[in-house]
Amino acid sequence: MNPSRPGKRRRPGEERVDGGGCMPKPQVSSNGIAEASAGPPPLLASRLTPPALPEPLLLRPRLTARLDAGTAGPVTLVRAPAGWGKTTLLAAWARGAPEPGPAWVQVEEGDTGERLWAYLAAALRGVAEAEAEEEPAVPVAPPRPDQLELLAAALAARDRPVLLVLDDLHRVTDPAALTGLEFLLRHTDGRLRLVAGARTELPLALHRLRLAGELTELGPEELAFTDDEVADLLVAHGAPLPATAVARLRERTGGWPAGLRFAALAARDRPDPQRWAERFGGDQPDVAAYLRAEVLSGLTPAARDLLLRAAVAPAVRADLADALTGRGDGGQVLAGLARDGGFLHRDDSDPPWYRAHPLLADLLREELDGLGDDERRDLHLRAAGWYAGHDRPAEALRHALAAGEWERASELLLSGWPELVPYDREAAAGPPPPAPPAEAVRRDPELALAGAAERAYAGDSATAAARLREAVAAARSLPAPRRDRFRRLATALELTLARLAGDHREVRDAAARLFATRDPAQVESPDTDDPRTGEDADVRAVAGTALGLVDLAEGDLRAASATFGAALDAARRAGRPRTELVCAARCALLHALAGELRAAERTARAALELPSCQGWSSRAECAHAHLALALVALHRDQPEEATAHLALTGAVGGDATVAAAAALCRGALLRDAAEPAAATQLVARAREELASQAAAGDLADRLLAEEADLRSEQGDVDTARRLLADRARVPEPAPVLALALARVELRAGDVRAAGYALPDWDVPAAGDWPLPVRLASGVLEAVLARRGGDDRRAGRLLERVLDLAGPEGHRRVFTRAEPAVRDLLAAHLDSGTAHWPTVSDLVRGADEPADRGPAGAERALDEPLTERELTILRYLQSILSNVEIASELSVSVNTVKTHVRNIYRKLDATRRREAVRRARELRLI
């Protein structure tokens, strides 16, 4: 291949070469100065070659593999805002490709259609000339339709596809050029494979490609650096950091490549890189300058003003943005800013919430500080009013204090104190609000309590405790009725601080003191018409929730379930939606751990429908509900559903007991995916983490049993026995450990020892066991009976297990059990059973347990979808509105709406997401 041709890729350090067959040579005058020849300006070789790569370069195989796979289809789109590493990724991939490599065109501002096609034809010709002589030549392609057809015909006649990289394609503004590009993609018989880098969504017909499965997309989520990649980048820059600092830096930068490179470059010159990385933010001069030049400068004045005002809150939705700006375009502006991702993230709530990238949020808050005091106070007042009107008293309190609205702050404390308790909280945006002045506190001691509650909610326990002491000192002269109310509020705050400190004994003592503030008359005979009934319910909700969290942290799942259940009833009676969410999400999880699948599913879905389970402010509570649904799906042997819900549970990792439950679910899925070693490692690590936090109880036993079971399954029976030696051979071992030992002994070939170790699962006392343990014990006893030749007893035992499993929909205990279970189920069909349809389905499930949807998913709908409804159903997966779908299909929007209503009715759905989920379960899409 001629190195002067534009198709030749230069390696770092190689000299750039102009010329080649695609560029006119300049005329040289007698004095040696080049003169521009008549006609179009020459083509630049630098725009036809991948740019030089930055040093040091971090190779990212996971992304280059995505690009390699994407080139099997017609279009691969790498779309993200500035600084997300699009050009670096594409250039590294192109330079590493086998010769002759892809054609490369760097699009520049102001490129006309004619100019773009000149470069495109030159790039394609350069690749063609580097290949075999028998490949047809690529003609020059000005934007004339007849010559465009010549180019398409030449490409379609090739034996091998041509890869074309168009970097910064968003700069193309000529509609005719984009139309021509679409023409080529349609008419080259798959011989043109386009890889495009762009900052924004392209006006190409990408929706059709998505629906056809012919579009590969890499966005900010894929381009963001992982923890391992951040660590490798820091090492490459000579600034290695500990794992905790790496994770913190990745969180602060959101994995943004440009921000991480700024951080890595600066960290090399710092005497304490770890401390500097902890403080790295968007107010760093280099980062701030980049964001202003590459991100903010391209926004409209309305969009930039909205982002600035929205910085007063950690996250906003459209109506909150309208309240802050006084305009009515918040939804449109926010949706437009979030469309390309990267610097404004949108969640899947309805209505959606939006949150700025951490570094951009830092910069916006810095600019917010530059506003006048009156303007900032007005923003806080607007925010306080909006939050107060939307049942978010904690956020309303913070803004009222920041605005110096002392009377409103006290009112918010008195009316909403149960909802001011920190469970899952979003870090407060900006600096802490000022402390109320001493004179205001002397007049109103509750004001100091309000300040203390706000600081506790923000996680600043030391300041909260100091303000609590200040409030108690000022409250000594309060009259009796008001003093009683103050004591209740102060005790609730003491309870909160004890829980934040992890002092379980003090939590129980403070809860007892809070219970003691209840009106004795209401304790004896609550009157629903008496306003004191609401106060009594508030006390029971707050104290009960705190005690339930302690029970859960200590591993007492049965006590936690009862405590949370009572607190949930009280929260509902008192009308406290946030406390209700905390209790409902954990009740759902505890039901799932107990194997009560119907109650778990019902409670979890009810929790996810609560208004407070929206936006980022309650993401951990919603994550608990998703974990419950993941466990439900696991026990019903719906691995895809379980995996989908597990993906939404990342925020539960801070609670060791809940993290243990998540590890059990993930370990089971890894085991099912034939990755027992990874499952064993995961479960063992979770067990060690639980032990390090002194949390014993049922979950610790389950993790131990699962690890032993995994090890014996892999043939390491000695280690499995050793793990269980101390806990499973005592006179009354935990049922789950006794079951694990029985399995180990059976795998070791000692049937008698297995039967001796197996717990008695069908006695009244076993009703308190987790149902999965009880069911698995029954199945194993039936297997042992059949191996002993007692088929009749095996059948009776299996029928009893089916009686217990049926109402809750348990399937995994049969489909993922020992290989002998399938034969047992098949024999049970022949001998007769009251559960014939279920057993028949289970026999098939035990044969092919993987990659199957929910039970009965293959069952036809009562009323099948028509072909047109199926077409529209596929569009419902996209982000297109009904109007846009109608345009795509060339029908009226009323026709689309009618089909959508029919789809909802036939799928028994009420919302778009629900219909799509249901359709996927039924394998319709």
Side-chain angles (χ1 to χ4, degrees), residues 37 140 206 243 250 254 357 408 417 455 690 727 763 804 912:
S37 62
V140 176
L206 297 182
R250 192 204 59 78
H357 183 282
R408 177 182 287 191
W417 66 269
R455 284 294 82 203
L690 199 61
R727 301 289 306 281
V763 295
L804 292 173
R912 185 169 182 162

Side-chain angles (χ1 to χ4, degrees), residues 9 11 50-51 53 57-72 76 78 85-99 101-104 162-166 193-196 218:
R9 300 181 318 286
R11 302 300 174 187
L53 298 172
L57 174 68
L58 179 67
L59 297 177
R60 306 174 74 188
R62 66 181 179 89
L63 297 182
T64 54
R66 287 287 306 278
L67 292 176
D68 288 337
T71 56
T76 300
V78 182
K86 302 180 296 298
T87 297
T88 299
L89 170 64
L90 292 174
W93 173 74
R95 286 178 176 274
E99 295 290 349
W104 180 282
V162 173
L163 295 181
L164 170 64
V165 180
L166 291 179
R193 308 288 171 82
L194 174 64
V195 181
L218 281 76

Side-chain angles (χ1 to χ4, degrees), residues 857-877:
E858 293 81 1
R859 186 178 64 246
L861 293 172
D862 294 336
E863 184 180 354
L865 298 179
T866 66
E867 286 299 320
R868 176 61 84 180
E869 287 165 355
L870 285 169
T871 299
I872 291 177
L873 177 61
R874 295 186 185 99
Y875 276 97
L876 293 182
Q877 300 176 94

Side-chain angles (χ1 to χ4, degrees), residues 439-456:
E439 181 59 32
V441 170
R442 281 193 293 272
R443 291 194 308 267
D444 183 6
E446 282 94 346
L447 180 57
L449 280 182
E454 187 279 329
R455 284 294 82 203

